[in-house]
């Protein structure tokens, strides 16, 4: 059996494609319209309880809850930081990486932030009674956190 070779060559104005000796030369068309803007490294979950903006959250059973490092069941379930507040059974937007802006001027520039009790971000790590530790990011300023989660340390 002879192998089938697919050839695709793209130049600035032509697309050359074909199988073996059946090569077709065509013109590349104009790009289509831009699609809707994405939200990048954020997603929306349903809150399993009330969640405050800028709390670290876990996802359990498809619902978001404040992360708690004293709860061993939360190990490996931390998904990110809520960037909106939410009441139970309402949508909450969660950032999983990248730059989070809007903190109310409470961050310490260049400080490393971890998951604290009740999902509150803290520079004190590990917290007393913690079953695990997870660094979430570093403050770029007093209102911006660069979210780059580290693996959980048990």
């Amino acid at each position: 059996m002879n192998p089938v070779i697919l050839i695709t060559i793209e130049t600035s104005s032509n697309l050359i494609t074909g199988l073996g000796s059946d090569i077709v030369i065509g013109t590349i068309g104009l790009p289509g319209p831009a699609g809707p803007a994405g939200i990048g490294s954020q997603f929306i979950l349903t809150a399993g309880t009330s969640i405050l903006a800028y709390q670290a959250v876990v996802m359990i059973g498809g619902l978001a809850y404040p992360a708690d490092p004293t709860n061993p069941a939360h190990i490996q379930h931390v998904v990110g930081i809520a960037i909106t507040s939410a009441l139970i059974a309402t949508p909450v937007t969660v950032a999983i990486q990248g730059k989070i802006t809007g903190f109310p001027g409470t961050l310490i520039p260049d400080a490393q932030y971890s998951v604290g009790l009740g999902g509150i971000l803290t520079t004190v790590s590990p917290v007393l009674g913690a079953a695990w530790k997870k660094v979430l990011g570093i403050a770029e300023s007093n209102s911006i956190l660069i979210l780059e989660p580290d693996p959980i340390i048990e």
Side-chain angles (χ1 to χ4, degrees):
M1 176 176 234
N2 293 331
V4 175
I5 300 171
L6 175 63
I7 301 169
T8 301
I9 302 170
E10 186 173 331
T11 67
S12 62
S13 62
N14 290 315
L15 178 67
I16 302 170
T17 186
L19 294 174
S21 62
D22 300 325
I23 295 178
V24 177
I25 299 176
T27 302
I28 296 176
L30 296 173
I39 57 173
S41 54
Q42 302 172 5
F43 61 99
I44 297 173
L45 292 173
T46 299
T49 189
S50 293
I51 294 174
L52 299 173
Y54 310 116
Q55 262 184 317
V57 295
V58 295
M59 183 174 65
I60 298 175
L63 300 174
Y65 297 92
D68 184 356
T70 65
N71 185 341
H74 286 191
I75 293 174
Q76 304 300 329
H77 292 282
V78 176
V79 291
I81 297 175
I83 57 172
T84 58
S85 295
L87 299 174
I88 189 169
T90 63
V92 60
T93 301
V94 178
I96 58 173
Q97 69 178 24
K99 188 179 283 193
I100 302 175
T101 60
F103 282 86
T106 56
L107 300 175
I108 301 166
D110 300 320
Q112 195 174 59
Y113 281 85
S114 299
V115 179
L117 297 175
I120 302 302
L121 301 183
T122 181
T123 58
V124 178
S125 185
V127 295
L128 187 62
W132 51 270
K133 171 187 171 182
K134 183 169 182 81
V135 173
L136 291 175
I138 297 175
E140 180 178 278
S141 71
N142 66 352
S143 62
I144 299 172
L145 183 79
I146 305 301
L147 179 59
E148 294 178 358
D150 285 345
I152 287 183
I153 301 171
E154 297 181 45

